[in-house]
Amino acid sequence: MAPSESEILTNYLVQPSSLTSITTLDQFKALFPRPLQSSPQVRSLYRDLQAQRNAVLDRVVENIGDEAKRGNAMRREVIRARREADRVNADAEVEMERALFGDASSARSAKHSISSIIPELDGAVGALEAEIEKLKEEEATLLESVKQIIGGLSDLRYGKFSNGQLGDEIIDGLKSVEAACESKS
């Protein structure tokens, strides 16, 4: 079974994001000058940073749950709207048929014999088969789109970008922002 929206978001946003998976206490200590590395304040700072990171991750998990609920509500609303539109369209077709053919239309009395129902059923089977083929094509298109999105998220997770110049462009952009700020002050 395909992973749900919440599973995908959790796998890409929460699981690889704990502070210990990013940096260990020893790696964190190495960022400080040698005389301060053994200070208990560095350990305290690391624990504080870890607590802040966990609080952020808790909010992300909560937001993922909220987003999943909103997504389910939106799906239900779309289904309801489609059903309503189908019902309105069916009613409009019946009214049009009555207007064109009067009371003798099939909209009022749909009595069939064995010989008259078989061609109707054959036509319905053909229409359903065409609809199934159309849905299969749409499914393949959507599946390919989801695979591309997942691939893009994987690239984002591991720091690989399709635009190799992106890092340089970001640095250039930040330098221009910095220059603009310095010129204003």
Side-chain angles (χ1 to χ4, degrees):
M1 189 168 136
S4 70
E5 177 183 11
S6 358
E7 290 171 343
I8 292 171
L9 290 172
T10 300
N11 288 340
Y12 281 97
L13 296 176
V14 177
Q15 288 180 356
S17 298
S18 68
L19 185 60
T20 55
S21 67
I22 296 170
T23 184
T24 64
L25 177 59
D26 292 332
Q27 291 170 333
F28 185 72
K29 284 180 180 180
L31 298 173
F32 289 89
R34 189 162 302 279
L36 296 176
Q37 288 180 0
S38 61
S39 172
Q41 291 176 339
V42 172
R43 179 181 294 264
S44 176
L45 183 62
Y46 181 78
R47 297 293 177 225
D48 184 51
L49 183 61
Q50 195 173 31
Q52 290 178 16
R53 185 72 177 187
N54 289 338
V56 168
L57 288 176
D58 290 343
R59 282 195 307 269
V60 168
V61 168
E62 184 179 310
N63 289 342
I64 288 172
D66 292 344
E67 189 61 35
K69 288 176 187 175
R70 278 196 296 272
N72 288 336
M74 288 170 57
R75 279 187 212 91
R76 285 193 302 271
E77 184 62 27
V78 166
I79 290 170
R80 187 197 62 73
R82 283 184 183 165
R83 286 183 184 155
E84 179 68 22
D86 289 345
R87 188 185 61 76
V88 169
N89 289 341
D91 290 346
E93 289 175 11
V94 168
E95 291 301 319
M96 191 181 316
E97 198 168 315
R98 283 188 183 144
L100 289 173
F101 301 112
D103 290 337
S105 73
S106 63
R108 184 168 188 159
S109 61
K111 296 179 182 174
H112 288 284
S113 65
I114 296 279
S115 59
S116 70
I117 195 74
I118 291 177
E120 292 288 328
L121 289 176
D122 287 340
V125 166
L128 286 174
E129 287 173 347
E131 182 71 20
I132 287 171
E133 286 302 315
K134 181 180 170 187
L135 288 173
K136 284 181 180 179
E137 290 172 6
E138 186 178 335
E139 175 196 16
T141 303
L142 289 172
L143 181 62
E144 185 60 34
S145 172
V146 167
K147 285 180 180 179
Q148 289 177 352
I149 290 170
I150 289 172
L153 287 173
S154 178
D155 290 349
L156 180 63
R157 179 179 184 185
Y158 295 109
K160 300 176 193 168
F161 299 106
S162 59
N163 181 357
Q165 306 294 326
L166 185 62
D168 295 334
E169 291 174 8
I170 290 173
I171 290 172
D172 292 341
L174 289 173
K175 285 180 181 177
S176 67
V177 169
E178 183 180 27
C181 290
E182 286 177 1
S183 68
K184 295 290 180 180
S185 56

